[in-house]
């Protein structure tokens, strides 16, 4: 039993990291592919298997990048994208499509996406898995016009529709990683901080809702106008959405980048 007053918040955070790392040895992670073999949760009072220090240290080193990636995706979704998975998923996958090695290592990117979606779901692990997977498929289907023009999306859909593959090589790693996304949301995410990042009089929240998400526009024309932009995040997000929806031409990246830089420095 831990002595009252000596077990701090940072101790609790460390314990979550250590638990995740130890469980990754058998359950897998973003980059550790373990096959599901009728895994059973240990019963009440069961002790967590403790590896030798050298083995644990090696595991922690290996998982350090995965821990960072999970935090980045969850906080990116909720701070930059305002929790809007319907925009987040097609935008990140469109950007990943330009990276050659993604197709060869698509599993970890699918898991990153599923975990980001699951950060908005409050259910038991299996229900979170089913809901996140269903939402992922729906988002891709709703963006079929974009998906059809990008070869990576074809490979993505093949995996998402392969239930046996997902069960064998994705679910346990997803389940093991849930404690990290919950840690990110419960301790490191702040509604107050997000409100400050989105406090800008140029933002217009639309009445219509999609998948329970408030839609918005940044009320400035695409061409450069010397108007102060108080919050760069929603301004850039709005421009990304316009390109995604093909409301803005994407054939002159240098021009659009220059306009954005000028606008962001117009104060």
């Amino acid at each position: 039993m831990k002595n009252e007053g000596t077990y701090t918040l940072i101790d609790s955070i460390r314990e979550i990291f250590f638990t995740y790392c130890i469980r990754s040895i058998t359950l897998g992670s973003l980059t550790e592919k373990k096959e599901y073999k009728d895994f059973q949760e240990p019963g009440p009072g069961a002790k967590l298997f403790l590896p030798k220090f050298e083995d644990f240290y090696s595991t922690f080193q290996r998982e350090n990048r995965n821990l960072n990636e999970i935090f980045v995706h969850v906080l990116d979704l909720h701070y930059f994208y305002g929790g809007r998975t319907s925009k987040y998923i097609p935008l990140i996958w469109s950007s990943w499509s330009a990276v050659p090695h993604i197709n060869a290592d698509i599993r970890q990117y699918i898991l990153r996406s599923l975990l980001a979606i699951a950060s908005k779901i409050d259910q038991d692990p299996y229900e979170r898995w089913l809901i996140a997977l269903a939402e992922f498929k729906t988002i891709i289907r709703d963006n079929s016009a974009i998906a059809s023009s990008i070869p990576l999306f074809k490979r993505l859909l093949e995996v998402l529709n392969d239930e046996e593959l997902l069960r064998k090589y994705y679910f346990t790693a997803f389940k093991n990683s849930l404690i990290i996304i919950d840690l990110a949301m419960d301790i490191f995410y702040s509604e107050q901080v997000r409100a400050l990042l989105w406090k800008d009089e140029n933002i217009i929240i639309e009445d219509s809702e999609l998948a329970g998400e408030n839609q918005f526009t940044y009320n400035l024309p695409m061409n450069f106008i010397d108007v102060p932009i108080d919050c760069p995040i929603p301004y850039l997000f709005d421009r990304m959405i316009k390109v995604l929806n093909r409301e803005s031409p994407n054939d002159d990246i240098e021009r659009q980048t220059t306009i954005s830089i000028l606008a962001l420095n117009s104060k």
Side-chain angles (χ1 to χ4, degrees):
M1 180 180 295
K2 303 175 181 67
N3 294 326
E4 186 175 348
T6 62
Y7 187 71
T8 64
L9 176 61
I10 193 65
D11 292 323
S12 179
I13 293 171
R14 288 194 188 101
E15 185 172 338
I16 290 173
F17 286 149
F18 293 169
T19 300
Y20 160 84
C21 288
I22 292 171
R23 287 164 63 92
S24 73
I25 297 172
T26 54
L27 300 183
S29 64
L30 297 183
T31 54
E32 287 297 304
K33 187 177 180 180
K34 302 293 183 180
E35 183 176 353
Y36 176 84
K37 296 181 178 179
D38 298 322
F39 171 75
Q40 297 292 324
E41 285 282 5
K47 293 183 178 180
L48 188 68
F49 165 73
L50 296 178
K52 294 180 180 179
F53 174 78
E54 295 80 7
D55 295 334
F56 173 78
Y57 185 72
S58 176
T59 300
F60 187 72
Q61 282 186 310
R62 183 189 70 224
E63 291 300 322
N64 182 57
R65 181 173 179 272
N66 292 333
L67 289 166
N68 278 279
E69 290 294 347
I70 294 171
F71 264 80
V72 165
H73 282 70
V74 171
L75 297 180
D76 191 31
L77 168 63
H78 289 275
Y79 281 134
F80 187 92
Y81 295 87
R84 296 173 176 85
T85 52
S86 64
K87 299 295 186 293
Y88 173 76
I89 293 299
L91 282 168
I92 61 169
W93 277 90
S94 294
S95 67
W96 285 339
S97 68
V99 183
H101 73 270
I102 300 297
N103 193 42
D105 192 21
I106 199 170
R107 175 181 172 274
Q108 70 161 293
Y109 295 92
I110 291 175
L111 282 170
R112 293 184 195 185
S113 302
L114 288 168
L115 288 166
I117 295 170
S119 69
K120 297 177 61 181
I121 303 168
D122 184 17
Q123 297 284 344
D124 65 71
Y126 188 61
E127 285 298 316
R128 292 175 84 173
W129 163 259
L130 293 178
I131 295 170
L133 186 58
E135 183 173 337
F136 198 174
K137 291 180 181 179
T138 298
I139 293 170
I140 299 301
R141 184 175 64 247
D142 291 346
N143 290 272
S144 57
I146 300 167
S148 62
S149 64
I150 300 176
L152 181 63
F153 278 80
K154 181 179 179 182
R155 173 64 179 144
L156 170 60
L157 286 171
E158 288 175 356
V159 175
L160 294 180
N161 289 320
D162 191 334
E163 294 183 7
E164 181 64 15
L165 178 69
L166 292 169
R167 185 188 71 84
K168 288 177 67 174
Y169 296 114
Y170 286 72
F171 173 64
T172 55
F174 170 88
K175 183 177 182 179
N176 182 39
S177 303
L178 289 177
I179 58 173
I180 304 303
I181 66 170
D182 291 342
L183 173 64
M185 291 301 296
D186 292 343
I187 303 298
F188 294 92
Y189 170 70
S190 166
E191 289 280 358
Q192 289 78 16
V193 171
R194 185 171 86 171
L196 291 174
L197 293 174
W198 283 76
K199 188 177 181 181
D200 192 315
E201 63 180 14
N202 294 311
I203 295 175
I204 298 176
I205 302 296
E206 299 179 1
D207 293 333
S208 60
E209 292 188 356
L210 178 64
E213 301 171 0
N214 288 324
Q215 304 305 301
F216 84 102
T217 56
Y218 197 90
N219 190 30
L220 279 183
M222 290 300 291
N223 290 329
F224 173 65
I225 295 179
D226 191 12
V227 175
I229 293 175
D230 294 324
C231 296
I233 285 179
Y235 168 78
L236 292 172
F237 186 18
D238 176 74
R239 270 45 188 169
M240 291 166 63
I241 292 173
K242 284 182 168 55
V243 172
L244 179 69
N245 294 338
R246 303 186 179 176
E247 299 170 20
S248 171
N250 196 28
D251 54 358
D252 192 344
I253 297 176
E254 290 185 0
R255 178 177 181 277
Q256 295 301 331
T257 302
T258 301
I259 289 173
S260 293
I261 292 174
L262 286 171
L264 292 171
N265 288 278
S266 63
K267 290 185 179 182

